[in-house]
Amino acid sequence: DQQDKVMWEEGTQAVGDICNTDVTIDIKSKSRIRYHSFIEVFDLTPEKSEVSFRNGLTTYNSFMKSGLHVSLTPHAPYTVTSKLHQLIMDEMHESGGKQYSIHFMETPSEKELFNEKKGPLFDFMQKSGVNYHWISDKCSSSWQSFINYLEPQWNILLVHNTFLDQDTLDEILNGSIEESVWLCLCPNANLYIENKLPDINMLMSNKFKLVIGTDSLASNEQLSVIEELNVIRKHYPDITTATLLTWATINGAKYFGWDDLGVLRKGTAPGLVFVKEEKSGKLSSERIL
């Protein structure tokens, strides 16, 4: 509840929140912030797919009954079997949902796991009892592991992208859904988890739509969009403030299809935030309206 108030006062108008339970329903129902909740599911083995899906669907229905924006979504390519992915896809078709998110290329070993069926992540999962027999030998990359489940009419959010490389970007660009893909940057969390940032210049040169995320308080000291922008400014000083504000405002609104947010024009209600550059060179923000 406190973080919700802090985000509002700093200027946050809308949030996409990945969650596993319904404990935030009361806060979100009362908040002045508009929330979309991604109910995240994973299974690791096909034997757990049905149970994981039903549990996620129960939480999803709780949000629906409360009148909140919600969708069911997978955790990561290496934690969601093909069986569970199919169940998620079937639910999205049935509900008419469009918002799909997935953690993507967050660690360097994710690429090794899919490309070579080895590496630290693969070994860790194997020692934890996960048998990746459900990953097809024909699947030679993380992107290929779930591309066949995606639809062009969906809005697809790839979260983190810390180790996203040009080869994988080319895979996305050579497909049929590149116009449906948004890339979410969570720089503070990336530095906390891997001490590395995505190659943002490369992402920009490929003309992908970028949005700003914070991940969670488990990997971040605050849920502050302006602090995420400050990290990017520090490491990529050539990126203009206007570009950063586009990522933090209208790009996110377009992803969710919220035409009344992210832009100042007649008939919209985006809120008004004063963003200024302090003497230290850092940006700060304060809600005006």
Side-chain angles (χ1 to χ4, degrees):
D1 189 42
Q2 181 61 32
Q3 289 297 324
D4 174 82
K5 293 175 181 177
V6 170
M7 286 191 292
W8 172 261
E9 290 167 0
E10 197 175 72
T12 296
Q13 195 76 11
V15 172
D17 179 40
I18 294 176
C19 48
N20 309 103
T21 71
D22 60 6
V23 297
T24 58
I25 285 179
D26 186 57
I27 294 172
K28 291 171 180 173
S29 297
K30 297 175 181 177
S31 177
R32 289 170 289 184
I33 294 174
R34 186 183 304 178
Y35 283 93
H36 180 98
S37 297
F38 295 100
I39 308 305
E40 186 180 75
V41 294
F42 63 92
D43 57 352
L44 297 175
T45 64
E47 293 76 22
K48 298 180 180 179
S49 301
E50 293 281 355
V51 172
S52 178
F53 177 75
R54 286 198 301 270
N55 290 342
L57 198 57
T58 297
T59 304
Y60 169 91
N61 287 332
S62 295
F63 277 85
M64 284 289 288
K65 290 175 182 176
S66 299
L68 295 168
H69 299 275
V70 63
S71 59
L72 204 62
T73 203
H75 168 247
Y78 54 88
T79 58
V80 178
T81 65
S82 54
K83 182 177 180 180
L84 181 55
H85 238 127
Q86 184 65 52
L87 290 168
I88 295 169
M89 185 178 75
D90 292 343
E91 186 282 325
M92 289 187 70
H93 281 301
E94 184 175 341
S95 67
K98 287 187 62 176
Q99 279 71 37
Y100 172 105
S101 81
I102 191 167
H103 288 65
F104 189 64
M105 302 301 288
E106 189 176 358
T107 68
S109 52
E110 180 177 333
K111 185 174 182 178
E112 280 187 287
L113 187 155
F114 285 98
N115 288 29
E116 305 173 51
K117 310 299 186 291
K118 66 178 185 180
L121 182 57
F122 181 87
D123 293 340
F124 173 79
M125 289 295 195
Q126 292 286 86
K127 290 177 182 177
S128 301
V130 179
N131 186 332
Y132 279 118
H133 64 274
W134 49 268
I135 296 179
S136 169
D137 290 336
K138 296 179 182 178
C139 173
S140 60
S141 74
S142 180
W143 175 248
Q144 285 185 14
S145 72
F146 63 96
I147 174 62
N148 290 333
Y149 300 105
L150 305 179
E151 299 285 350
Q153 68 268 25
W154 294 353
N155 292 344
I156 299 153
L157 187 66
L158 306 181
V159 182
H160 286 300
N161 309 292
T162 321
F163 294 90
L164 188 53
D165 55 24
Q166 189 60 54
D167 288 343
T168 306
L169 287 174
D170 288 340
E171 281 190 89
I172 299 172
L173 290 168
N174 291 332
S176 59
I177 63 169
E178 70 275 7
E179 293 299 321
S180 303
V181 174
W182 275 258
L183 304 180
C184 181
L185 308 177
C186 307
N188 270 307
N190 298 153
L191 292 175
Y192 178 85
I193 296 169
E194 293 285 354
N195 196 30
K196 178 179 169 61
L197 293 176
D199 186 340
I200 300 178
N201 286 332
M202 178 185 67
L203 304 182
M204 292 176 65
S205 69
N206 284 271
K207 304 192 184 305
F208 276 97
K209 300 182 285 286
L210 303 180
V211 299
I212 301 298
T214 61
D215 209 7
S216 73
L217 291 175
S219 59
N220 205 333
E221 293 182 358
Q222 67 272 310
L223 304 179
S224 169
V225 170
I226 206 73
E227 288 303 323
E228 302 300 326
L229 300 187
N230 280 323
V231 171
I232 297 174
R233 275 166 56 93
K234 177 181 177 180
H235 292 269
Y236 292 91
D238 292 336
I239 299 177
T240 67
T241 301
T243 296
L244 293 175
L245 291 177
T246 298
W247 300 349
T249 55
I250 192 169
N251 279 12
K254 285 182 176 179
Y255 168 78
F256 287 109
W258 291 337
D259 296 335
D260 58 325
L261 300 183
V263 63
L264 289 169
R265 66 167 180 260
K266 186 177 179 180
T268 63
L272 198 59
V273 181
F274 179 46
V275 177
K276 68 176 180 179
E277 185 171 338
E278 305 288 351
K279 291 181 180 179
S280 63
K282 295 182 67 176
L283 298 177
S284 66
S285 65
E286 181 181 358
R287 178 175 292 278
I288 298 174
L289 181 64

